[in-house]
Amino acid sequence: MAVEVIMPALGAAHDAGAGRLVRWLKREGDLVSHGEPLLQVETEKAVVEVEAPGSGVLSGIRVREGEQVAVGTVLAYLLAPAAHPRAGGVFRAMAERAARSWHDAPHLFLIREVDWSQLIVAGARQPPGVTQTDLLVRLAAVALAEHPAVNGGRDDVNVALPIATEDGQLAPVIHGAERLDLAALAARRTELEERVHQGGLRAQDLTGATFTISDLGRYGVDAFLPILADGQAGALGAGRVSDRVVPVHGRPQVRPVVTLTLACDHRAVDGPTAARFLGELAGALEEPVGRL
């Protein structure tokens, strides 16, 4: 169901008149939460922020900044993510954001191979429902808390996990991942995945991410370069687990190895800072005992 965003009546003198839309505070395709500042409207005395009348994806903007329209005019719509068609919703918004990020942010990429042996062992010791992805998110969240620059300079670690859907891809967010133990994190991830596939996602489930972790290993991908999401300073891409011959104490051995690629916004994160974060994460993944 669509929620109409209308030109509000702001005061007695404004009720029967018109208003000027000064500025949209969100872009078309952005997810908006109910009560979040959405636009600015000029009254006879001041510029006033107008809150979103509902939650959803901002769509179908009909009035541009600077235009004056009658009170009650429909300015745009808020669509539930599931109602957003592939040719119009979620897929187009994702594509537009990716293009904008690639254009605006100078991407810095670091690549590192990680011995996955001990993570497999640690995962086998976990209760049902806890996956290797949960272990990766847990260890990455702890490392991000120690390297806030890679987390966009924020204290809370809110990790987005892209999930494929029929309409493209959604990236629900595990908020406060650094504060969740492994069981709680796995339960939250499971809940979000069910909402993606069965419906019931809320706007807050898809907003507020500070870092993204994408795992394409299940598709047979060895490595890839992740694109930063809007407003994020870092993203991690994980490839498949594959057997490699690696030196262990000076002797060649076959070990399961995963290639991790870290993307950073070079305006916010320099090379050494990114390398320290990736090195700490790699060390935790190779020796997870006592860190989970």
Side-chain angles (χ1 to χ4, degrees), residues 5 20 61 69 81 140 144 148 185 188 205 210 216 227 230 244-245 255 259 264 270 284:
V5 180
R20 188 173 73 89
I61 291 178
V69 296
L144 285 166
L185 191 150
R188 179 60 176 156
D205 294 331
T210 59
L216 295 182
I227 298 177
D230 259 355
R244 309 273 182 87
V245 177
R255 292 289 181 92
T259 300
C264 289
D270 59 23

Side-chain angles (χ1 to χ4, degrees), residues 190-211:
T190 300
E191 177 188 3
L192 289 170
E193 287 185 349
E194 290 175 351
R195 288 184 181 177
V196 167
H197 295 299
Q198 300 175 14
L201 275 174
R202 304 163 297 180
Q204 55 265 39
D205 294 331
L206 295 167
T207 56
T210 59
F211 190 83

Side-chain angles (χ1 to χ4, degrees), residues 7 19-22 62-69:
M7 176 61 73
R20 188 173 73 89
L21 196 159
V22 176
R62 302 171 64 179
V63 178
R64 295 175 295 181
E65 294 177 348
E67 290 188 23
Q68 186 157 329
V69 296

Side-chain angles (χ1 to χ4, degrees), residues 58-263:
L58 181 61
S59 307
I61 291 178
R62 302 171 64 179
V63 178
R64 295 175 295 181
E65 294 177 348
E67 290 188 23
Q68 186 157 329
V69 296
V71 169
T73 299
V74 176
L75 307 175
Y77 299 91
L78 297 173
L79 300 183
H84 227 226
R86 181 184 181 92
V90 172
F91 186 81
R92 186 178 69 182
M94 178 184 70
E96 289 176 350
R97 289 183 178 186
R100 188 164 62 239
S101 174
W102 185 254
H103 178 271
D104 294 344
H107 284 54
L108 167 69
F109 295 107
L110 281 72
I111 300 173
R112 179 155 178 168
E113 292 186 343
V114 176
D115 186 333
W116 216 247
S117 303
Q118 293 307 308
L119 200 74
I120 293 174
V121 173
R125 295 172 178 168
Q126 303 304 319
V130 176
T131 67
Q132 290 183 30
T133 296
D134 298 321
L135 273 63
L136 172 59
V137 173
R138 167 64 182 162
L139 294 173
V142 172
L144 285 166
E146 297 297 323
H147 299 269
V150 186
N151 193 48
R154 300 168 199 168
D155 294 328
D156 291 339
V157 178
N158 304 328
V159 179
L161 296 174
I163 298 174
T165 71
E166 292 182 357
D167 294 325
Q169 182 173 268
L170 291 174
V173 182
I174 300 177
H175 292 268
E178 85 285 5
R179 299 191 298 270
L180 300 178
D181 62 25
L182 198 52
L185 191 150
R188 179 60 176 156
R189 182 213 22 97
T190 300
E191 177 188 3
L192 289 170
E193 287 185 349
E194 290 175 351
R195 288 184 181 177
V196 167
H197 295 299
Q198 300 175 14
L201 275 174
R202 304 163 297 180
Q204 55 265 39
D205 294 331
L206 295 167
T207 56
T210 59
F211 190 83
T212 297
I213 297 178
S214 299
D215 182 359
L216 295 182
R218 70 190 71 180
Y219 301 104
V221 173
D222 290 314
F224 63 100
L225 303 180
I227 298 177
L228 295 170
D230 259 355
Q232 295 181 31
L236 186 72
R240 66 173 176 170
V241 180
S242 58
D243 288 340
R244 309 273 182 87
V245 177
V246 298
V248 178
H249 303 303
R251 296 183 177 179
Q253 292 189 14
V254 176
R255 292 289 181 92
V257 171
V258 168
T259 300
L260 299 181
T261 303
L262 175 66

Side-chain angles (χ1 to χ4, degrees), residues 10-32:
L10 301 171
H14 199 239
D15 286 348
R20 188 173 73 89
L21 196 159
V22 176
R23 180 186 174 203
W24 285 105
L25 301 178
K26 297 288 184 178
R27 299 177 180 178
E28 183 155 349
D30 283 352
L31 285 154
V32 181

